[in-house]
Every structure is written in structure tokens, then in C-alpha cells.
Amino acid sequence: MRTFQHKVTLNDLGGIIVFAFGAFVCLWNRTNIVMVILGFILIAVTLRAVDRSTHTSYTLTDDGLLLVKTGRIGQARHVPLADVQSVGKRPFAFHLGHYVVIELRDGSVVSVQPENVESFLSALEKRLEKKESKA
């Protein structure tokens, strides 16, 4: 079993800052009940964004699964490696980094942002080769 952590990007940090600032402004200017409710909703969104940025992990298991856990609050997604059709490395907007796109046989796509993209790709390709040699 091999676990990779999520890479926190400028987009993640920017979203957290914008949501936190919005919550602060809404609760500071509580002129009516709508602003207070919106402030508490933005606090919940901010906490979810922080949780997702800091606690997301990608685990390659020994039984041929990729577990994508999106924070403590989010549900884990189980991706069987037998269903993987192609794996690619793509750049972020403005080429600020890279992420991995995994295309499955049913046409769905899973994108992951591991801290070390090259190591993740290497480990994933080893597991895929091992699955192909057994089949």
C-alpha cells in the first residue's frame, strides 16, 4: 500500500481566503438575517475547503484499487486499477504545476493532484503493469 498526499495549490489557498473573507464581511455587516445566514454558510464552505486541501490523500492498495479520500468529511472514491484505460499528466492553468488524469473504460475521468506527480505516476504504472502481466 502506498499513500500520496494532495498538493495544495494557489487556487486552493485563494479559494480559502476568498470564502473566509466573505464570511468575515457577512458577519461584520450583519444588517439583516440573510447576511448572518450567508456568513455561517461561508464558514462551513471555508472549513470544507480547508479540510479538502489538507486531508485529501490518494492510496494505491495491494489489491488493485486507487482510494481517493477527499478530506475527513468527504466520501472515499474507489477506482479499480483494472478499469483504467489511460493515464496522463496535464498542466494546471498558466503552467503552475501538474495534475494526473486517469481515464476509465466506462468513459469517466478521475483527476488527482498528488504532491509528487512523478512518483505517483511511477507507482501507478508499476501497479498497472503488474495487473496486465497477471491477466
Side-chain angles (χ1 to χ4, degrees):
M1 187 176 331
R2 182 114 189 252
T3 302
F4 297 89
Q5 296 302 316
H6 175 76
K7 180 177 184 174
V8 180
T9 63
L10 288 174
N11 293 340
D12 296 335
L13 293 175
I16 291 168
I17 290 169
V18 166
F19 291 139
F21 182 72
F24 175 75
V25 167
C26 286
L27 293 176
W28 187 269
N29 299 319
R30 51 186 185 271
T31 55
N32 56 20
I33 192 70
V34 175
M35 292 295 278
V36 174
I37 293 171
L38 182 61
F40 282 115
I41 289 172
L42 286 174
I43 287 173
V45 170
T46 303
L47 291 175
R48 174 65 178 129
V50 169
D51 177 55
R52 191 170 186 161
S53 294
T54 56
H55 295 112
T56 296
S57 65
Y58 313 107
T59 305
L60 292 167
T61 63
D62 294 330
D63 57 345
L65 283 175
L66 169 64
L67 298 177
V68 180
K69 296 179 186 174
T70 56
R72 293 180 181 170
I73 300 171
Q75 295 180 351
R77 181 169 181 186
H78 303 272
V79 179
L81 295 182
D83 293 347
V84 173
Q85 182 176 358
S86 66
V87 177
K89 178 178 161 183
R90 304 275 168 80
F92 286 131
F94 307 114
H95 296 277
L96 295 175
H98 293 88
Y99 65 100
V100 177
V101 176
I102 302 169
E103 186 177 350
L104 304 177
R105 294 191 198 285
D106 63 358
S108 61
V109 175
V110 178
S111 66
V112 295
Q113 300 172 6
E115 188 75 40
N116 188 348
V117 174
E118 299 300 329
S119 178
F120 179 80
L121 282 172
S122 173
L124 182 61
E125 287 172 0
K126 276 185 193 175
R127 306 255 173 156
L128 290 173
E129 288 173 3
K130 188 189 293 185
K131 280 288 184 193
E132 289 175 4
S133 65
K134 284 184 179 180

